[in-house]
Amino acid sequence: MPFDPVAYAIPVFVALILGELLWTRFAGDAHAYEWRDTGTSLAIGLGSTVAGAITGGLTAALLVWVHGFAPLSIGWAWWAWPLCFVLDDLAYYVFHRSAHRVRWFWASHVNHHSSQHYNLSTALRQSWTGFVALSFIFRLPLALIGFEPGMILACAGLNLVYQFWIHTETVKRLPRWFEAVMNTPSHHRVHHAVNARYLDRNYAGTFIVWDRLFGTFAPEDGEDRIRYGIVSQLGTFNLFYAVFHEWIGIARDVWKAPWRHKLSYLWREPGWSHDGSRETSDMIRRRWLESRGEQ
Amino acid sequence: MPAAVLQFVGSLAAVVAIVTVAWLLGSRKSANLSDEEEARELFRLAPGGFEPVEIALDTEGAAAIARDADGRLAMLVPHGNQFVFRLVPPDTPIRVEGDSVTPGNRPFLRITIGESARDWANTDSGDNNG
């Protein structure tokens, strides 16, 4: 069984959530947490560990299988660890961008975004259906290059652990050099925002440099109050609806759509519709820019 | 007991503990609008924006209904201590009962706004197609 940093980090997650709860309470922020929202977030997180236990072995087996085709074996050399971590973070960026731009992947990722709160408990809203959505394919190239499957999975786990602490409003801004290179609470607040200017921005896992490099970076504007969640807010704390609602929506749309449009409801961006009755992120942003006379 | 089961049980206990602490610390208040300005700001925060030209607040501050310049109707519906923005679909009939209005057959969207309820009844929701 590969080393799983997330399992060791769980007690730290629990302690930090309790710490943030107390901090926000005594700082007078009555809206930072909502007990039912926190319950839903944590239940989704708990369920995701069960899903991970069921499908983790399959992902590992696929990585081992692909690794067999690698032209060279990098092995466990010390220098391979930082290299693997950086390349895995790039793979995460590609996955995460796809997860917001392709509805099939979004259906699995959306539950991470469906809370209207942004606190450390939100970080634990992880997918139950990542394997079904084929999210693992983004990490297969690393195995094909020659990185050890166990190293890839450990780096992926460390990446996930890093992303926990950035889900907070308690930390405002960090030193400029850190904000320039690393993903931070400020950058990730932008990612969780549904304000038109922030939609589909800041996909980074650990290093924000990927967004700066590929043109998807947006800085947080302190003047623009952030609204968190998804474009069409769920409006329910129902655990199973939160986890599966987008899959249900896809099934409904594919069933109702004319034959020539059915597949588009799987691979086009969230919000796309064949009759133009809905709005994608790009359409929302365009409308917002037009309203400001900027386009 | 296998380690995985132990980890699950421990995590479940932690979930219950955190939710209990959140409840005890008072994170269970319902969303409330203090005035029209607060409602206006929340309507404006809707994705792509919604600029109200007319707003009516629930008498308890628990919800709001608004109309924009294009005649579209939208509501702020409470969800925990936050509000959910809902655009009222075009051609939705607005029913009036006393000082309350209800869009369509959705009793959970019923909002008590006082004497101005009759004015909203006159809203031609057929215009709500922006």
Side-chain angles (χ1 to χ4, degrees):
Chain A
M1 193 67 187
F3 169 65
D4 180 14
V6 179
Y8 291 92
I10 288 173
V12 181
F13 292 167
V14 172
L16 287 173
I17 290 171
L18 286 169
E20 188 187 43
L21 250 171
L22 290 166
W23 177 272
T24 52
R25 176 67 183 86
F26 293 113
D29 184 355
H31 291 92
Y33 276 84
E34 207 281 345
W35 70 285
R36 286 167 296 179
D37 174 83
T38 303
T40 305
S41 293
L42 298 180
I44 292 175
L46 185 58
S48 77
T49 64
V50 176
I54 293 167
T55 61
L58 290 168
T59 303
L62 276 164
L63 284 168
V64 169
W65 180 67
V66 170
H67 187 252
F69 296 99
L72 69 153
S73 184
I74 295 172
W76 296 89
W78 70 266
W79 52 264
W81 281 95
L83 189 59
C84 183
F85 187 85
V86 171
L87 290 177
D88 175 72
D89 195 50
L90 173 60
Y92 178 83
Y93 171 86
V94 177
F95 151 73
H96 198 189
R97 190 164 171 172
S98 306
H100 281 262
R101 303 296 296 174
V102 177
R103 196 177 176 197
W104 178 262
F105 296 128
W106 173 244
S108 167
H109 182 61
V110 63
N111 53 212
H112 180 63
H113 285 270
S114 58
S115 172
Q116 288 181 261
H117 294 263
Y118 190 75
N119 54 47
L120 291 175
S121 76
T122 311
L124 302 183
R125 284 190 170 233
Q126 295 293 324
S127 177
W128 292 15
T129 55
F131 188 84
V132 176
L134 309 178
S135 306
F136 57 84
I137 61 171
F138 294 91
R139 286 198 160 102
L140 295 182
L142 291 172
L144 197 57
I145 290 171
F147 287 103
E148 290 293 332
M151 187 183 287
I152 297 166
L153 291 172
C155 287
L158 289 170
N159 200 331
L160 198 62
V161 171
Y162 177 86
Q163 291 181 46
F164 172 75
W165 76 277
I166 59 178
H167 291 82
T168 183
E169 290 191 295
T170 305
V171 178
K172 303 305 177 195
R173 295 287 170 100
L174 293 162
R176 189 177 292 183
W177 68 268
F178 197 83
E179 296 278 354
V181 180
M182 306 300 288
N183 198 8
T184 63
S186 173
H187 298 327
H188 208 57
R189 283 194 286 271
V190 164
H191 178 67
H192 275 256
V194 288
N195 305 46
R197 72 161 69 187
Y198 293 147
L199 287 170
D200 288 352
R201 293 290 183 266
N202 298 4
Y203 297 115
T206 297
F207 301 114
I208 197 68
V209 290
W210 308 122
D211 284 291
R212 295 186 190 277
L213 205 58
F214 299 122
T216 50
F217 175 72
E220 183 181 25
D221 180 348
E223 299 301 309
D224 195 2
R225 180 182 161 193
I226 288 182
R227 178 172 171 267
Y228 299 105
I230 50 180
V231 167
S232 183
Q233 304 285 10
L234 276 188
T236 175
F237 297 116
N238 183 301
L239 170 66
F240 294 100
Y241 188 72
V243 171
F244 297 111
H245 71 96
E246 191 66 18
W247 292 110
I248 295 167
I250 287 178
R252 192 182 295 132
D253 288 338
V254 169
W255 178 259
K256 285 182 182 171
W259 276 101
R260 68 180 185 281
H261 293 301
K262 285 188 188 297
L263 279 178
S264 295
Y265 280 100
L266 301 179
W267 68 267
R268 295 293 297 264
E269 63 270 44
W272 178 87
S273 58
H274 72 281
D275 56 4
S277 59
R278 302 176 202 168
E279 283 190 310
T280 65
S281 296
D282 293 335
M283 292 158 77
I284 291 170
R285 184 181 289 106
R286 203 176 305 128
R287 184 157 58 81
W288 174 73
L289 287 169
E290 283 169 2
S291 73
R292 291 163 52 95
E294 291 182 22
Q295 199 173 14
Chain B
M1 190 181 288
V5 175
L6 203 62
Q7 183 182 316
F8 179 84
V9 172
S11 299
L12 184 61
V15 169
V16 173
I18 291 171
V19 173
T20 305
V21 170
W23 191 86
L24 290 172
L25 288 176
S27 303
R28 56 181 191 275
K29 289 180 181 147
S30 299
N32 194 269
L33 294 162
S34 54
D35 53 31
E36 271 194 24
E37 269 319 295
E38 189 183 354
R40 187 179 301 278
E41 190 189 351
L42 288 174
F43 277 116
R44 282 177 177 157
L45 282 167
F50 182 91
E51 188 61 51
V53 293
E54 195 175 356
I55 297 178
L57 241 59
D58 176 82
T59 49
E60 302 289 318
I65 188 167
R67 179 167 41 224
D68 73 0
D70 296 326
R72 297 186 306 167
L73 283 181
M75 293 188 74
L76 293 175
V77 183
H79 176 56
N81 60 12
Q82 301 284 322
F83 282 96
V84 172
F85 173 88
R86 291 282 184 249
L87 203 58
V88 179
D91 302 320
T92 302
I94 308 292
R95 287 191 296 121
V96 177
E97 292 163 275
D99 51 5
S100 300
V101 294
T102 309
N105 292 318
R106 297 181 176 88
F108 55 92
L109 290 180
R110 181 187 166 119
I111 171 172
T112 305
I113 54 177
E115 289 180 2
S116 68
R118 266 173 262 120
D119 302 337
W120 290 86
N122 294 334
T123 300
D124 179 4
S125 56
D127 291 341
N128 193 28
N129 54 10

